[in-house]
């Protein structure tokens, strides 16, 4: 079973190749544009995000540092340090001490209006709260805050958003900058100042002036808390939280629903908080989508262009070859009909020109044979010599047709040239030619044989140089070559297992020809028939030679041309194969 591509007509093959060569570059352009454009857009987005995150982080850090500077003056206050050591149940002393550093706290609240309040707690159970707009709820279970002073870092940190449920009025959502307070006498951090920012203020600070497709958030790695200025869908928030918690890379790409997102983060420097830039990649890839649409349009145009080139346009180019095929079939039926075509110098034109010349030569040969008034022996000799095996000719033309379907102009041209040389040699006037020309004819025959079967026959030439110019009967060696290939050779035989030798030796007054092969050999019955034919001077009534005319033809021509001066013998070529030897007296 031949591959599908080999069974296609030349037009369909051309269409397939044009389709591949037109669509493949478009596909490569799309893939490369998708890779480079998306990569470039993502890189630009990451660089922009990093710059913005560093800027916002620096602004928040500066704000928190300014607040810490203000709080430091409170922490080193003598009365505040006295307050740290006061017992939790000594309310009178606490009140007197608070009145001494109350102005420092009020100054901080006045300077930082974004603070909802300042809450003080310590391990002794003391609680102090200052605010410009709210009061402390004394019924709140303050004992629960005692755990906040255990295993806490000595550095300031941000708390997750939470409700200040200890306020007297409606609780406000706050984010606390928790500052550990060191007791300067004992050196122990057993007190905390909760600088309570209004949560909405922090959200506004990180979300002002951003485009709709960009979201800036705060993320706490310790709790997985996300603080955003805009509300995220539950699915998107869950995907973002999962991606940020799972890895440490600066940039993160993930999917949420049918949309893709990119997140870039930057450490804030307070606890495990990070600033996170979140943007949709769908907008970044819009250019790639436009490119895809353009490539689809170009591919569609290329498809129709390939169809037009392969069929209507190629039809004009290929029409002469259709006529050539028709003429070949007519030739097989004995009709000599030249191919009508415009003069052309391309490969197809040269093939048709050679074919038409061959038809003229064949027609001329036929006319000359019919009109010949030579003597009986000479006429018979010329007729036998001029016979052309129609099967060889038709098989050769079919091989040319097959290679032309594959668009192999070089093979077609070479086969046509070989066939043309053979035809000119065979139809040229005269029944003899120099040995050199006979050998050239055999080489052209073997060249066509190589193209027909796709493999080369191992040949050994052992020719006496002194015999090259001696004239001999035309077409006397080739039939034995053809017979050896037909019965002793197969394309499946390895080249090293088959050797065909042609030897010509000049031993005056004799000229000895030998054709031997190492093929499968002849059966004893066929060998006997051929030796009987040789001894009967090429004349035999055996029905075998009605179907095998090549050897009987050449034997008959030998005796018509040389009479008793020629001797033909066939014998096995041990250990395998056949040897044919004929000797001509000069």
């Amino acid at each position: 079973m031949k591959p599908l591509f080999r069974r296609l007509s030349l037009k369909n093959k051309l269409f397939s190749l044009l389709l591949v060569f037109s669509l493949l570059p478009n596909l490569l352009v799309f893939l490369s544009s998708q890779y480079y454009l998306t990569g470039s857009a993502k890189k630009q987005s990451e660089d922009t995000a990093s710059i913005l995150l560093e800027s916002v982080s620096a602004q928040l850090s500066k704000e928190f540092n300014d607040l810490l500077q203000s709080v430091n003056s409170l922490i080193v206050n003598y009365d505040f340090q006295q307050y740290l050591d006061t017992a939790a149940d000594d309310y009178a002393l606490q009140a007197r001490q608070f009145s001494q550093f109350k102005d420092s706290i009020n100054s901080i609240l006045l300077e930082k209006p974004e603070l909802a309040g300042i809450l003080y707690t310590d391990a002794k159970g003391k609680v102090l709260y200052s605010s410009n707009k709210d009061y402390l709820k004394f019924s709140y279970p303050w004992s629960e805050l005692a755990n906040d002073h255990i295993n806490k870092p000595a550095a300031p940190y941000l708390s997750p958003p939470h409700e200040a449920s200890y306020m007297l009025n409606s609780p406000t959502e706050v984010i606390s900058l928790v500052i550990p307070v060191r007791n300067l006498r004992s050196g122990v951090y057993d007190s905390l100042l909760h600088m309570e920012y209004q949560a909405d203020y922090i959200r506004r600070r990180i979300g002002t002036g951003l485009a709709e497709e960009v979201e800036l958030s705060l993320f706490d790695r310790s709790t997985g808390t996300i603080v955003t200025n805009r509300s995220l869908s539950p699915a998107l928030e869950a995907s973002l939280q999962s991606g940020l918690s799972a890895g440490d890379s600066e940039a993160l790409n993930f999917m949420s629903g049918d949309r893709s997102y990119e997140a870039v983060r930057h450490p804030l420097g307070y606890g495990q908080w990070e600033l996170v830039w979140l943007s949709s990649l769908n907008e970044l890839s819009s250019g790639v989508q436009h490119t895809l649409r353009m490539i689809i349009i170009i591919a569609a145009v290329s498809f129709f262009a390939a169809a037009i080139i392969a069929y209507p346009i190629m039809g004009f180019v290929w029409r002469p070859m259709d006529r050539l095929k028709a003429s070949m079939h007519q030739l097989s039926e004995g009709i000599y009909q030249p191919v009508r075509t415009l003069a052309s110098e391309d490969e197809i034109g040269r093939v048709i020109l050679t074919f038409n010349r061959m038809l003229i030569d064949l027609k001329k040969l036929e006319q000359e044979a019919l009109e010949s008034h030579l003597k009986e022996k000479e006429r018979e000799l010329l007729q036998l010599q001029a016979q052309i095996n129609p099967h060889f000719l038709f098989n050769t033309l079919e091989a040319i047709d097959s290679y032309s379907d594959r668009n192999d102009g070089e093979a077609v041209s070479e086969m046509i040239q070989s066939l043309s040389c053979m035809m000119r040699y065979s139809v040229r006037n005269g029944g003899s030619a120099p040995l050199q020309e006979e050998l050239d004819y055999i080489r052209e025959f073997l060249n066509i044989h190589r193209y027909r079967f796709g493999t080369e026959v191992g040949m050994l030439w052992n020719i006496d140089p002194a015999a090259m110019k001696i004239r001999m009967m035309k077409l006397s060696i080739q039939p034995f070559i053809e017979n050896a290939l037909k019965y002793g050779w197969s394309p499946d035989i390895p080249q090293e297992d088959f050797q065909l030798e042609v030897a010509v030796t000049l031993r005056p007054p004799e000229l000895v020809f030998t054709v031997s092969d190492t093929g499968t050999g002849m059966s004893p019955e066929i060998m006997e028939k051929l030796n009987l034919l040789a001894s009967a001077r090429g004349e035999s009534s055996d029905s075998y030679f009605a179907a095998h005319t090549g050897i009987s033809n050449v034997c008959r021509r030998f005796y018509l041309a040389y009479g008793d001066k020629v001797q033909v013998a066939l014998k096995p070529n041990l250990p395998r194969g056949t040897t044919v030897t004929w000797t001509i007296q000069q």
Side-chain angles (χ1 to χ4, degrees), residues 516-553:
S516 61
D517 66 80
T518 59
T520 56
M522 295 183 182
S523 66
E525 294 79 10
I526 302 300
M527 186 76 69
E528 183 179 359
K529 290 178 183 293
L530 294 175
N531 280 313
L532 288 174
L533 175 70
S535 62
R537 302 173 61 85
E539 295 182 356
S540 176
S541 60
D542 195 321
S543 59
Y544 175 83
F545 297 107
H548 302 80
T549 59
I551 298 299
S552 62
N553 184 313

Side-chain angles (χ1 to χ4, degrees), residues 328-433:
M328 288 179 179
H329 286 291
Q330 289 179 327
L331 178 63
S332 67
E333 298 173 358
I335 301 174
Y336 298 88
Q337 180 62 50
V339 180
R340 294 182 298 104
T341 184
L342 297 175
S344 176
E345 294 297 326
D346 59 15
E347 290 81 358
I348 296 177
R350 288 196 292 270
V351 169
I352 294 176
L353 180 62
T354 303
F355 179 79
N356 286 340
R357 288 175 179 172
M358 182 188 69
L359 289 182
I360 295 173
D361 291 341
L362 290 175
K363 185 65 175 179
K364 182 178 180 181
L365 174 64
E366 185 180 51
Q367 292 174 349
E368 288 177 353
L370 292 175
E371 296 173 357
S372 177
H373 298 289
L374 299 175
K375 295 178 181 181
E376 185 66 27
K377 287 186 177 182
E378 183 179 1
R379 183 172 63 249
E380 184 179 357
L381 175 61
L382 291 176
Q383 287 176 343
L384 290 171
Q385 180 175 295
Q387 283 183 0
I388 299 173
N389 188 340
H391 296 289
F392 168 75
L393 176 61
F394 187 72
N395 290 337
T396 301
L397 294 178
E398 287 292 341
I400 293 172
D401 182 46
S402 174
Y403 277 91
S404 66
D405 280 345
R406 299 179 215 165
N407 204 22
D408 192 342
E410 182 178 351
V412 169
S413 178
E414 189 170 346
M415 291 178 70
I416 289 292
Q417 291 298 328
S418 294
L419 183 61
S420 178
C421 290
M422 292 177 65
M423 292 303 170
R424 288 193 179 94
Y425 177 75
S426 64
V427 303
R428 193 170 56 201
N429 290 334
S432 65

